[in-house]
Amino acid sequence: MMKPERPVGIVGYGAYIPRFRIAAREIARIWDGAGGTPVDSKSVPGPDEDTITMSIEAARNALARARIAPDRLSAVWVGSESPPYSVKPSGTLVAEALGATPWVSAADWEFACKAGSEALTAAMGMVGSGMAQYVLAIGADTAQGRPGDALEYTAAAGAAALLVGPAAEAVAVIEGTTSYVTDTPDFFRRADTAYPVHGHRFTGEPAYFNTLRSAAERLLRDLGAKPSDFTYAVFHQPNTRFPQTVARQLGFTPQQIATGLLSPKIGNAYSAAALLGLCAILDVAKPGDTIFVATYGSGAGSDAYALRVTEALPERRGRAPLTAAYLARETFVDYAVYAKRRGKLVME
Amino acid sequence: MDLAKHWRLRHARYRLEGQRNRLTGEVRFPPAPPRPGEAEDVWEPYVLSGRGRVYSFSVVRQPPEGFEDQPPYLVALVRLDEGPMVTAQLTDCDLEQAAIDMPVEMVTRRLRDLGPTGLIVYGYKFRPIVQSGNH
């Protein structure tokens, strides 16, 4: 287990989910009407939205909750697999929009669906060492799936921002983290192609389940804790079934994961997926509640965290829109609008 | 590509940064140089709240060059809480939902995409308010 010498926690948090949705059955109507769908619907970014714009809104919500002036941030880090530019950091533009520039570290992190939690772990180190007082770790994605591919049912959009600071100021103290990483070819995209591919032999048990379980079990063991010690749990959610299954394998109950399980309604928000679930939990958790978080990124790795909610949370959460407010803004689009918005129509 | 123009406007566009008069407290947007006779530093940078109301609006169906993929879209005059009036697109807002006096808030969105070898231009738009947890 990793834990900084100086205790750290989440001082502010912010969610963002675009208003548009497409129903999974609408995708099935076009490609394959048979069988079930992995989620009910997924979020779709608006025509003027991308990883940068969603990061900005989630980050503003985190700063509003913490009431921290943006120029006090020591770092603004964006974890994503869908940066708008291949070369030109998202972090600089987000930092500029927040008003955190110029005396700030800004960078982009990359690790499939766990790029955001990479930034979170690094933020723990930066604050925990005393190098920084406040670091903003963001996970944001506008994920793409090849038309007709199984991934198209779930590849979604969203952002979550976690403002890491001293434990004494936190709404939730981070009690420890583990990171489990191997080189696993379960899912990848080459630089010049639009859509990723699955390494089907590896997807599932060797990748998601084994990796996430390894990080989670090690954290539980090092903490001397058991699943029933936690009020809530949230896992990376590429669909509905995977997080439900890994929760059961680890010994968490459906009740523990219910609050943070957003994938049935918004799909897989990639780098934001587990972190948005954490935001939804922080929206309702009470002081003293405990939260278990495990992310997953293809390639493959998992970061697990144990958090304890403090007395500061109830007052701070009302200062920005709750995750539920974004979930409630549901405007459904059909496949034609979705295809146009997501650049799936070839114009020339 | 007008890189310098877009770069120069970044603070105003990304975070609605205007100016406040150190002597009178007047807030203005967009930022501008001092008027004749004013001290160089009398106007200080000031980030506006982003809250305001729709003063008037119109639906653009015949777009200007560079906005061909966007219509129909809403353009509004927004009276900001601090006083200044700005022109901006409304976003996350259905055409039939737009109304005079509608409370709106600023969001930073993509304004234009200058093509595969060009800049993505980001800036302020306004949308119907997403309520905070208190409500």
Side-chain angles (χ1 to χ4, degrees):
Chain A
M1 178 174 79
M2 298 184 284
K3 186 178 180 178
E5 289 179 7
R6 177 201 197 195
V8 301
I10 293 166
V11 174
Y13 69 96
Y16 181 73
I17 302 163
R19 72 184 282 225
F20 299 103
R21 306 280 183 280
I22 184 167
R25 65 175 184 279
E26 170 70 1
I27 297 172
R29 179 176 73 87
I30 304 299
W31 293 110
D32 176 16
T37 54
V39 294
D40 299 333
S41 56
K42 69 167 185 174
S43 59
V44 178
D48 58 0
E49 295 188 290
D50 61 22
T51 289
I52 287 176
T53 66
M54 297 192 306
S55 293
I56 291 168
E57 180 153 349
R60 284 183 177 144
N61 288 338
L63 286 167
R65 286 203 167 92
R67 291 198 177 149
I68 301 289
D71 62 1
R72 298 186 68 195
L73 294 173
S74 293
V76 174
W77 291 334
V78 179
S80 182
E81 63 103 78
S82 45
Y85 290 92
S86 292
V87 179
K88 186 176 183 303
S90 300
T92 51
L93 209 155
V94 173
E96 195 86 69
L98 298 176
T101 49
W103 297 107
V104 64
S105 165
D108 296 3
W109 296 71
E110 194 272 334
F111 197 140
C113 292
K114 86 170 185 88
S117 66
E118 285 292 319
L120 174 60
T121 296
M124 289 175 64
M126 189 112 153
V127 176
S129 71
M131 265 178 74
Q133 191 77 350
Y134 304 110
V135 172
L136 197 52
I138 303 167
D141 264 307
T142 53
Q144 281 277 27
R146 182 184 300 281
D149 189 275
L151 191 67
E152 193 179 29
Y153 290 91
T154 55
L162 299 172
L163 181 50
V164 177
E169 301 174 31
V171 298
V173 173
I174 306 174
E175 302 195 314
T177 180
T178 55
S179 193
Y180 180 89
V181 167
T182 60
D183 178 15
T184 304
D186 61 320
F187 182 80
F188 49 87
R189 177 171 70 82
R190 296 292 297 267
D192 294 327
T193 60
Y195 302 117
V197 296
H198 278 281
H200 289 287
R201 158 71 179 77
F202 292 96
T203 306
E205 182 51 39
Y208 177 90
F209 290 105
N210 177 57
T211 303
L212 198 152
R213 273 199 318 265
S214 298
E217 284 169 350
R218 174 68 182 270
L219 182 59
L220 289 169
R221 190 163 70 242
D222 289 357
L223 287 167
K226 51 190 186 303
S228 59
D229 294 335
F230 291 87
T231 321
Y232 298 98
V234 59
F235 302 105
H236 177 57
Q237 33 205 274
N239 49 37
T240 305
R241 189 172 55 83
F242 274 30
Q244 290 172 333
T245 303
V246 83
R248 189 173 63 244
Q249 290 172 348
L250 287 165
F252 290 93
T253 66
Q255 291 74 27
Q256 284 170 297
I257 65 165
T259 305
L261 188 59
L262 310 183
S263 56
K265 294 299 176 197
I266 65 164
N268 177 6
Y270 278 49
S271 296
L275 304 185
L276 273 172
L278 173 59
C279 289
I281 290 168
L282 291 171
D283 284 345
V284 299
K286 293 190 276 297
D289 282 352
T290 47
I291 307 168
F292 192 88
V293 183
T295 65
Y296 173 75
S298 291
S302 173
D303 300 323
Y305 307 86
L307 294 92
R308 182 176 299 276
V309 175
T310 75
E311 301 288 338
L313 177 60
E315 187 195 349
R316 253 175 255 182
R317 70 176 147 226
R319 296 173 182 171
L322 301 179
T323 313
Y326 290 111
L327 289 169
R329 286 188 327 162
E330 281 185 322
T331 302
F332 280 86
V333 297
D334 63 17
Y335 195 88
V337 169
Y338 162 78
K340 180 191 175 197
R341 293 263 180 88
R342 300 304 290 138
K344 294 175 195 287
L345 299 177
V346 179
M347 306 294 277
E348 55 195 57
Chain B
M1 287 212 294
D2 292 333
L3 288 178
K5 179 184 80 179
H6 296 301
W7 172 78
R8 203 174 295 118
L9 295 170
R10 69 196 187 284
H11 292 163
R13 276 190 182 155
Y14 293 175
R15 57 181 192 242
L16 210 65
E17 184 175 292
Q19 291 169 319
R20 182 168 60 182
N21 190 300
R22 293 180 202 269
L23 303 176
T24 66
E26 181 194 348
V27 173
R28 69 182 183 183
F29 187 92
R35 296 159 184 146
E38 283 182 339
E40 272 295 313
D41 63 347
V42 72
W43 291 96
E44 60 184 351
Y46 182 79
V47 178
L48 284 84
S49 68
R51 294 292 180 115
R53 285 176 181 272
V54 172
Y55 179 80
S56 189
F57 68 94
S58 185
V59 180
V60 177
R61 299 179 192 276
Q62 301 290 332
E65 191 182 333
F67 294 80
E68 291 89 347
D69 58 338
Q70 299 194 24
Y73 61 88
L74 288 156
V75 172
L77 289 166
V78 174
R79 173 73 72 188
L80 299 169
D81 284 357
E82 293 87 350
M85 184 105 81
V86 297
T87 306
Q89 284 190 38
L90 299 181
T91 188
D92 289 354
C93 182
D94 299 330
L95 297 186
E96 57 275 19
Q97 186 186 357
I100 287 171
D101 225 27
M102 178 173 75
V104 291
E105 61 187 349
M106 176 274 223
V107 289
T108 307
R109 295 289 175 90
R110 293 165 76 113
L111 299 182
R112 286 183 65 189
D113 183 336
L114 303 183
T117 60
L119 206 62
I120 304 168
V121 182
Y122 294 86
Y124 54 83
K125 294 187 181 183
F126 290 82
R127 71 156 180 222
I129 288 170
V130 176
Q131 295 294 351
S132 291
N134 290 330
H135 293 82

